[in-house]
Amino acid sequence: MSVEDPYALLDKWLNAQELLVVGKDVTRVDAFQKAVGKAYFTEDYLLKEALFVKQVLSPYPHARILSYDVRKALDIPGVKAVITAKDIPGVNQVGYALPDQPLLAEGKVRYVGEVVALVVAEDYDTAFKGVESVEVKYEELPYLLDPLEAMNRNDILIHEEIGSNIAFKTKVVKGDVNEGFAKSDVIVENEYRTHHQDHIYLEPEAALAIPDMEGRITIICSTQYPHLTRDIASKVLGLPSSYVKIITPYVGGGFGGKDDEGPLVAAKAALAAYLTGRPSFLMYSREESIAIHPKREATVIKYKSGASKDGRLQAIDVKIIHDTGAYANRGPFILWRATVHASGPYEVPNARVEGFAVYTNKVYQGSFRGFGNPGIQFAAESQMDLLAEKLGLDPIDFRLKNILKEGSTTITSQKLDHSVGVGEALRKVAEASDWWRKRREYSLDTGRFRRGIGVGVAWHGISTSRGVPDWSNAYVKIEKDGSVTAYTGIVEMGQGAPTSAHVQIISELLGIPPTKVKVIFGTTDAPDTGATHASRGSSIGGIGVLIAAAKLRERLAKLASEILNVTPEEIMFKDGRVYSKKDPNLYIEWKDLIKEAISKGVELSATGYFFLPKGKFDDVRGQGFAYPAFSYMVVISEVEVDVETGVVKVLKVWPALAAGRILNPQQVEGQLEGAAVQGLGYALMENLVFDGKGRVVNPDLTDYVIPTIRDVPEIQKPIYVEDLFKYGPFGAKGVGELALIPMPASVANAVSHALKTRVTSLPLTPERVLELIRSSR
Amino acid sequence: MLTKIPEFNFLKATSVDEALRLIATHSNYKLLAGGTDLLMDLRIGRYKPEVVIDISKVMELKYIKDLGDKIAIGSLTTLQEVLESPVVRGKAPVLVEAVSNMASWQIRNMATLGGNLCNASPAADTAPPLMVLNASLKLRSLSKGERVVNVNEFFLGPRQTVLEKGEMLTEVEIPYVKDAGQSYLKLGRRNAFTLSIVSVASLVKVEDGRFKEVRVALNSVAPTPVRARSVEQALIGKEVSYEAVVKASNEVIHDISPISDVRASAEYRRKVSIVLVRDSILKSLSGLGINVR
């Protein structure tokens, strides 16, 4: 085994006895620039000579495009181009999971807001005028808005070529559910509904495409996966991938939305730049952003579950329907995630889960923090409370009887051999919140203001699902003066992966201060690192950084050992000095060691490629290896409900996380708080409203409300259970999405407790809460 | 959906006289005070004025004066200035309560008291408190000079007021009210920076254990901000009791005509209007040291 074997390096650092930088509250390197408003985002790179791109949107939910008349628009002085599908030099196909989606509408439009044409002009207002002058003739077609209706109709087809409105199906079958229900002493059956959610990132979508003399294009854009963005843009342009370069500056929030929309925005700006030969800038208004870009899927979940008197789950039978909207996008992956997580983090011997992603004529669904999981965990956790009640058990005691632990098998029959800290997290947070006392005491409330306490427990598979390939990489080089530059495709969108975790990893391994480390992030100049999504930026993205830095350290330790005449094993790297652990007086300054390396021919650059090992998965039965590991999250929420107005106040929230090593507690706390508030907004107030034609009625921040700081509850210090994951950097699993996932369940269970009636649909607006109270009387 | 901002001529006035002359000579104009409503309204195509007249630098309309028996507030005084004024806080706390719930610090530093009234949104947050305070509005034009209108007569419909062409609001006068309890309650979709579903302002005076004066006003439940005259009538002269307040609050449904919109249904607005009217009156009473239950 070579000393540069990635498994050996990961293992060595997983089991490191003492860590100097990792695991500490290290201030991220971009904190100051962002605090004082000096950080640059895409729009800040706008060039004076750039053309402005604006989009012509479909006013119909479903219509055939009969003709375009762009003459009037082109007659406007300053309008440089009007681009429609036929002008695309490459391939007009950007479907992510299925080849069902054009970049610019072709033949048909399938939702109000679908992009039909681009107008390119000298300035913003002229582009706007151009958009208003493009004439598109449509033939309106009958349309479908309700997924339950759409899945049962074949007379109206949103995608004729598929022959049905069901875009995708999934299935998990384990054991025999009929037998399981026969063994059950209590059975609960319910239908749950969750709704769309918009990401409302501070920075709307933006891209600036700059053509160069050699026919290449550089795109500065707000995206979550530079390499995918490049691949899509080059495919649309018909250029080799290597002709397109992506630079992702600081991103003003992504939450998954820019994983889907980012590449499309870049491709549209690139198209304008390519066809006009001028730098071209496209930025969505908030209204366009809400109307056009994919949303968290709306769901209908039918859930039946049974347990025996001894408090053990026996069976679940679940049907998940995702309203996928006009296009499949990442819907199949989202549906897979919901399907394999349908049990919640519990042992269930018999399971049948079926998933359907259904087309409707609405803005399509896509990636959003939690990725199909918050909806299904809401249903699963509601069922757990109902079963506990029927069994006469406390909800947490009941969960603890069934919770996953080392050696458990999941509903895909995957055996969890390590890194399962959820039980400990649940026990600890229950104690910290004084759960059992409050649960009894609040049940006695009878006045206008009723308190409730609820729990949500969630699991979230790390890496891509099933056998879908996933890898990490990074390129790290040591400069002549001893400073270090690292290249990663991971982006910085507020979470701090490249500006804290990656910096810390390099600082830890090479013994130099964070100020000497520069991580160049979000660029296609780095090796493909995969996307910054799925809670993977710091963790899986960090593996490549760790391995590359560890390789350099091994080489330098060997060199230092030769110089100091000691064994490589006793070499330490700390505070800019390399020395013997046994005799710290035997040392060489880091800078001098680098000089030695250059003069002696030791390579000072390395890549950190790592391909995540995965097992087999049978897609037909939905059985097998689903994920290399799971992160776990518990949130306990305390609420107060005003039964006269229906207003729900979330008073306190207790988070507990089992996500392996906490690389930076301060950063993780920030992620947990942000995700909890985003989840609380989803549970209580955020609501996309559609009219009878599938048009979003509230595409603005006046009427799409998200929480303000005054809506934020007291969020307690998180409890961390560091259940190390053998393939994570230092054992880290992934955090970004976690606190959002159980939040709807946690709040809904708390409100259900307060009102002594079951919440089955979200959001819990005051009006819906009053209806719930009335219907329970 | 946003549209292109319409083209218009932009004129700037630096004095009241200049502003009055400009609005006398143009017919299709809009006044720009803080711009926090107007700019959005232009973007969504609500107005297509030929002329926008910027009065934001008419400094003579930015003041808060304590006149001994009333407070005079220049119409271009910002909401943040109203909020921070010790005079307003002392004499018209219900207005401060309402403004403190409005928008964000950034918006309050631009938006003006006059702008909030003249925009005449059914959800205007400064209207209910000024209505229960019985404020007077000074309106001026070149042709008619100055006239005074009670704020309770100012609103005619959504974005419609008694202001005539060529006329502008110059001052809001709030008479002192002695020995009155006042309160403002707002129910929105979140706790800050949001339009109300319903808001209620109330002002009560009590003498010998009886309601001597009761004024209640609401927003977002009718085409204009409205007084709840039925509730007021039901209480004046009555002995102060929890039951009386509860009973009278139910009367509010005769004063309002809410619609259903993206914020809430008419049904919900009717229900919570009753609750908020009751809560607001009880809170005003407790401001007088009277706690009934």
Side-chain angles (χ1 to χ4, degrees):
Chain A
M1 187 174 67
S2 124
V3 290
E4 299 200 356
D5 174 65
Y7 288 94
L9 293 173
L10 277 176
D11 193 54
K12 176 175 173 176
W13 290 100
L14 180 71
N15 298 305
Q17 292 301 308
E18 190 199 1
L19 296 173
L20 305 169
V21 189
V22 162
K24 309 283 193 293
D25 288 338
V26 177
T27 301
R28 49 193 286 179
V29 296
D30 54 342
F32 181 77
Q33 284 175 309
K34 285 186 171 167
V36 300
K38 295 215 160 154
Y40 265 40
F41 296 81
T42 295
E43 191 187 12
D44 298 311
Y45 291 89
L46 181 57
L47 300 169
K48 262 197 211 112
E49 65 270 31
L51 298 173
F52 284 79
V53 183
K54 273 209 77 73
Q55 311 180 81
V56 178
L57 308 183
S58 162
Y60 300 113
H62 198 194
R64 214 177 300 288
I65 299 173
L66 300 177
S67 65
Y68 307 89
D69 188 348
V70 302
R71 284 168 302 182
K72 254 195 225 163
L74 285 172
D75 281 347
I76 298 170
V79 171
K80 292 287 159 190
V82 179
I83 302 166
T84 61
K86 66 173 184 356
D87 303 311
I88 289 177
V91 182
N92 186 24
Q93 179 50 251
V94 294
Y96 189 85
L98 304 174
D100 65 352
Q101 186 183 350
L103 180 70
L104 299 177
E106 197 164 347
K108 282 213 310 192
V109 288
R110 297 181 175 87
Y111 72 99
V112 175
E114 179 158 4
V115 181
V116 177
L118 306 174
V119 175
V120 192
E122 292 286 355
D123 59 71
Y124 184 79
D125 273 352
T126 306
F128 224 137
K129 231 188 257 179
V131 164
E132 286 168 1
S133 308
V134 170
E135 287 171 9
V136 184
K137 277 213 179 81
Y138 297 96
E139 177 198 339
E140 287 186 65
L141 297 170
Y143 54 91
L144 295 164
L145 300 179
D146 176 11
L148 296 182
E149 185 190 351
M151 70 190 291
N152 292 315
R153 281 183 75 160
N154 282 328
D155 55 329
I156 302 170
L157 289 175
I158 295 165
H159 292 268
E160 290 85 353
E161 68 281 7
I162 290 169
S164 141
N165 291 313
I166 297 172
F168 197 77
K169 291 183 198 175
T170 55
K171 192 184 264 185
V172 161
V173 182
K174 179 189 182 188
D176 183 336
V177 286
N178 294 328
E179 222 169 84
F181 285 120
K183 278 192 203 157
S184 299
D185 299 298
V186 294
I187 291 175
V188 171
E189 195 170 358
N190 261 316
E191 184 178 295
Y192 300 90
R193 286 182 185 243
T194 63
H195 55 297
H196 293 88
Q197 185 181 21
D198 193 284
H199 310 77
I200 312 289
Y201 14 70
L202 266 177
E203 177 205 31
E205 297 83 350
L208 172 68
I210 308 164
D212 73 9
M213 300 181 293
E214 290 143 26
R216 302 168 26 129
I217 286 191
T218 299
I219 310 169
I220 301 172
C221 59
S222 193
T223 191
Q224 291 182 231
Y225 189 177
H227 296 80
L228 172 71
T229 305
R230 177 202 59 195
D231 294 346
I232 288 178
S234 60
K235 180 176 157 191
V236 167
L237 298 180
L239 288 177
S241 286
S242 56
Y243 275 40
V244 178
K245 171 176 169 168
I246 304 292
I247 297 171
T248 313
Y250 289 131
V251 173
F255 313 114
K258 288 175 182 168
D259 202 17
D260 297 332
E261 195 68 12
L264 308 189
V265 184
K268 286 180 273 197
L271 197 53
Y274 185 79
L275 294 175
T276 61
R278 296 261 306 269
S280 298
F281 180 66
L282 169 60
M283 184 164 190
Y284 291 12
S285 67
R286 179 65 63 189
E287 289 74 6
E288 288 166 322
S289 174
I290 296 179
I292 298 170
H293 89 253
K295 305 292 178 274
R296 183 187 302 289
E297 70 290 341
T299 71
V300 180
I301 298 167
K302 296 176 185 187
Y303 207 125
K304 179 179 174 187
S305 44
S308 47
K309 269 190 290 206
D310 59 354
R312 302 293 303 215
L313 284 166
Q314 294 300 336
I316 59 168
D317 190 357
V318 188
K319 190 173 177 184
I320 304 167
I321 295 155
H322 281 182
D323 180 352
T324 203
Y327 295 103
N329 186 31
R330 279 180 168 88
F333 299 109
I334 294 169
L335 187 64
W336 262 122
R337 193 167 271 272
T339 306
V340 302
H341 286 82
S343 58
Y346 307 107
E347 288 182 353
V348 181
N350 304 290
R352 177 168 61 205
V353 188
E354 287 178 293
F356 301 87
V358 183
Y359 289 124
T360 59
N361 291 109
K362 297 207 292 275
V363 62
Y364 56 109
Q365 66 33 74
S367 316
F368 197 142
R369 206 177 203 173
F371 207 70
N373 211 359
I376 191 69
Q377 300 302 304
F378 160 62
E381 285 295 89
S382 299
Q383 292 285 111
M384 290 301 281
D385 269 19
L386 289 168
L387 286 172
E389 195 185 329
K390 279 203 167 183
L391 288 165
L393 290 171
D394 171 84
I396 286 186
D397 294 339
F398 173 56
R399 281 169 172 81
L400 285 169
K401 280 178 189 282
N402 295 282
I403 202 88
L404 292 173
K405 48 191 174 289
E406 264 179 39
S408 295
T409 47
T410 67
I411 53 167
T412 68
S413 302
Q414 176 179 354
K415 191 164 181 187
L416 301 174
D417 59 352
H418 80 299
S419 189
V420 192
V422 59
E424 190 184 337
L426 179 55
R427 264 189 298 274
K428 283 187 169 163
V429 75
E431 279 161 24
S433 66
D434 201 3
W435 166 271
W436 291 276
R437 180 185 66 79
K438 288 178 179 166
R439 187 82 190 172
R440 280 191 305 273
E441 194 182 305
Y442 296 174
S443 303
L444 307 174
D445 283 1
T446 51
R448 172 174 176 182
F449 297 99
R450 312 235 173 116
R451 291 168 299 170
I453 188 165
V455 66
V457 189
W459 58 330
H460 198 62
I462 293 306
S463 176
T464 44
S465 65
R466 302 160 291 139
V468 177
D470 194 14
W471 62 87
S472 183
N473 207 347
Y475 169 53
V476 178
K477 58 183 173 127
I478 302 171
E479 311 295 354
K480 282 186 189 136
D481 66 352
S483 62
V484 174
T485 314
Y487 288 80
T488 175
I490 295 299
V491 307
E492 162 42 34
M493 49 185 184
Q495 87 286 29
T499 55
S500 65
H502 297 176
V503 171
Q504 279 174 274
I505 290 170
I506 292 169
S507 176
E508 176 76 48
L509 265 69
L510 301 181
I512 56 170
T515 48
K516 287 268 159 70
V517 181
K518 180 75 192 161
V519 178
I520 313 283
F521 54 81
T523 171
T524 45
D525 286 352
D528 190 338
T529 321
T532 311
H533 66 196
S535 307
R536 74 191 286 289
S538 294
S539 55
I540 292 178
I543 299 173
V545 176
L546 182 143
I547 290 172
K551 284 179 183 175
L552 294 171
R553 177 174 167 132
E554 294 296 325
R555 293 174 201 166
L556 291 167
K558 182 164 172 286
L559 177 65
S561 75
E562 286 161 12
I563 294 167
L564 302 175
N565 207 11
V566 295
T567 63
E569 289 71 34
E570 68 191 82
I571 294 290
M572 288 286 287
F573 291 65
K574 188 180 174 183
D575 298 337
R577 185 173 278 196
V578 182
Y579 59 95
S580 162
K581 210 182 322 186
K582 289 181 187 155
D583 180 1
N585 290 320
L586 287 173
Y587 71 89
I588 177 167
E589 295 293 340
W590 165 259
K591 276 185 185 170
D592 297 331
L593 181 62
I594 299 309
K595 280 184 196 147
E596 287 288 329
I598 291 166
S599 68
K600 297 220 166 91
V602 176
E603 193 195 349
L604 290 176
S605 61
T607 54
Y609 184 70
F610 183 73
F611 189 78
L612 272 109
K614 298 201 165 180
K616 285 208 173 72
F617 191 88
D618 169 7
D619 277 0
V620 179
R621 291 179 51 78
Q623 291 291 289
F625 182 95
Y627 297 95
F630 293 83
S631 279
Y632 303 90
M633 185 83 210
V634 186
V635 176
I636 289 179
S637 302
E638 198 176 314
V639 302
E640 183 186 85
V641 186
D642 179 344
V643 299
E644 293 195 4
T645 59
V647 171
V648 175
K649 268 193 202 155
V650 179
L651 303 172
K652 277 189 185 177
V653 161
W654 286 265
L657 173 73
R661 179 95 59 191
I662 303 301
L663 298 173
N664 186 328
Q666 195 178 51
Q667 286 303 305
V668 171
E669 195 176 342
Q671 284 292 301
L672 295 183
E673 289 183 355
V677 175
Q678 200 165 30
L680 184 144
Y682 184 54
L684 293 186
M685 62 184 84
E686 295 185 39
N687 194 17
L688 210 62
V689 182
F690 294 90
D691 71 7
K693 286 199 155 188
R695 184 183 65 99
V696 177
V697 182
N698 53 342
D700 55 51
L701 297 182
T702 304
D703 283 322
Y704 186 88
V705 292
I706 62 169
T708 68
I709 194 71
R710 286 201 200 166
D711 300 285
V712 174
E714 215 178 282
I715 301 174
Q716 310 298 310
K717 272 271 176 211
I719 290 167
Y720 299 130
V721 175
E722 295 192 274
D723 51 351
L724 303 187
F725 166 46
K726 63 185 173 184
Y727 299 132
F730 300 94
K733 288 193 282 192
V735 174
E737 298 164 278
L738 267 296
L740 193 150
I741 298 165
M743 208 56 210
S746 179
V747 172
N749 282 343
V751 171
S752 300
H753 179 229
L755 297 178
K756 301 178 182 72
T757 182
R758 176 52 33 188
V759 171
T760 56
S761 64
L762 301 174
L764 290 164
T765 58
E767 187 157 7
R768 176 162 290 150
V769 171
L770 274 199
E771 276 164 27
L772 190 68
I773 294 168
R774 188 181 45 195
S775 66
S776 70
R777 270 175 197 152
Chain B
M1 211 57 184
L2 295 189
T3 60
K4 188 187 155 307
I5 209 157
E7 282 169 24
F8 50 78
N9 287 321
F10 183 78
L11 301 171
K12 192 163 183 160
T14 52
S15 68
V16 175
D17 285 345
E18 198 180 353
L20 291 178
R21 273 199 305 277
L22 288 173
I23 58 177
T25 48
H26 293 92
S27 55
N28 187 5
Y29 65 85
K30 272 282 160 193
L31 289 178
L32 174 75
T36 56
D37 280 317
L38 181 65
L39 286 176
M40 275 319 294
D41 284 341
L42 291 174
R43 271 274 180 228
I44 63 171
R46 179 173 274 149
Y47 304 123
K48 292 192 166 61
E50 282 163 18
V51 189
V52 169
I53 298 163
D54 180 1
I55 53 169
S56 64
K57 291 286 156 359
V58 178
M59 303 313 284
E60 62 191 285
L61 293 182
K62 291 175 189 286
Y63 57 84
I64 298 175
K65 289 181 200 157
D66 186 351
L67 301 179
D69 59 346
K70 59 192 175 191
I71 309 166
I73 305 178
S75 59
L76 293 177
T77 307
T78 67
L79 296 177
Q80 190 64 23
E81 286 162 347
V82 171
L83 183 59
E84 289 172 5
S85 158
V87 183
V88 182
R89 188 172 292 271
K91 298 295 175 191
V94 63
L95 180 60
V96 170
E97 243 183 297
V99 172
S100 70
N101 266 312
M102 283 176 78
S104 61
W105 178 80
Q106 290 89 337
I107 302 271
R108 287 195 302 268
N109 271 301
M110 295 296 292
T112 64
L113 183 61
N116 189 245
L117 292 172
C118 294
N119 183 52
S121 159
D125 271 314
T126 62
L130 290 174
M131 289 165 93
V132 299
L133 289 166
N134 242 334
S136 305
L137 307 180
K138 284 190 182 163
L139 315 180
R140 261 168 77 181
S141 64
L142 270 192
S143 56
K144 292 187 181 166
E146 186 172 282
R147 62 176 174 138
V148 178
V149 172
N150 187 295
V151 68
N152 288 295
E153 268 82 58
F154 184 67
F155 302 107
L156 297 178
R159 302 177 201 277
Q160 289 173 324
T161 67
V162 300
L163 276 172
E164 292 171 5
K165 285 269 180 236
E167 198 171 35
M168 67 185 271
L169 169 64
T170 55
E171 189 179 275
V172 178
E173 263 188 14
I174 305 170
Y176 278 18
V177 248
K178 285 213 175 106
D179 309 321
Q182 324 177 2
S183 85
Y184 189 71
L185 292 179
K186 173 165 173 166
L187 181 75
R189 289 164 296 173
R190 62 182 171 206
N191 293 330
F193 198 10
T194 189
L195 294 171
S196 54
I197 291 172
V198 185
S199 295
V200 177
S202 70
L203 182 150
V204 298
K205 287 190 192 180
V206 174
E207 213 173 76
D208 303 330
R210 290 182 182 276
F211 284 103
K212 187 183 172 209
E213 181 89 58
V214 180
R215 300 182 209 151
V216 179
L218 301 90
N219 72 16
S220 303
V221 286
T224 67
V226 287
R227 281 285 285 273
R229 305 275 183 195
S230 315
V231 179
E232 297 173 2
Q233 250 121 62
L235 281 177
I236 291 172
K238 292 265 159 55
E239 204 169 304
V240 174
S241 72
Y242 179 74
E243 290 68 30
V245 175
V246 170
K247 193 161 170 253
S249 301
N250 289 325
E251 299 296 314
V252 72
I253 53 164
H254 303 300
D255 302 311
I256 61 177
S257 50
I259 55 162
S260 294
D261 61 18
V262 68
R263 276 152 230 156
S265 71
E267 181 56 26
Y268 180 73
R269 283 192 163 104
R270 268 190 288 273
K271 269 190 204 148
V272 289
S273 290
I274 296 171
V275 176
L276 260 71
V277 165
R278 184 199 68 199
D279 287 355
S280 178
I281 295 173
L282 292 174
K283 197 174 164 200
S284 290
L285 282 172
S286 72
L288 293 171
I290 304 169
N291 292 301
V292 290
R293 193 61 255 230

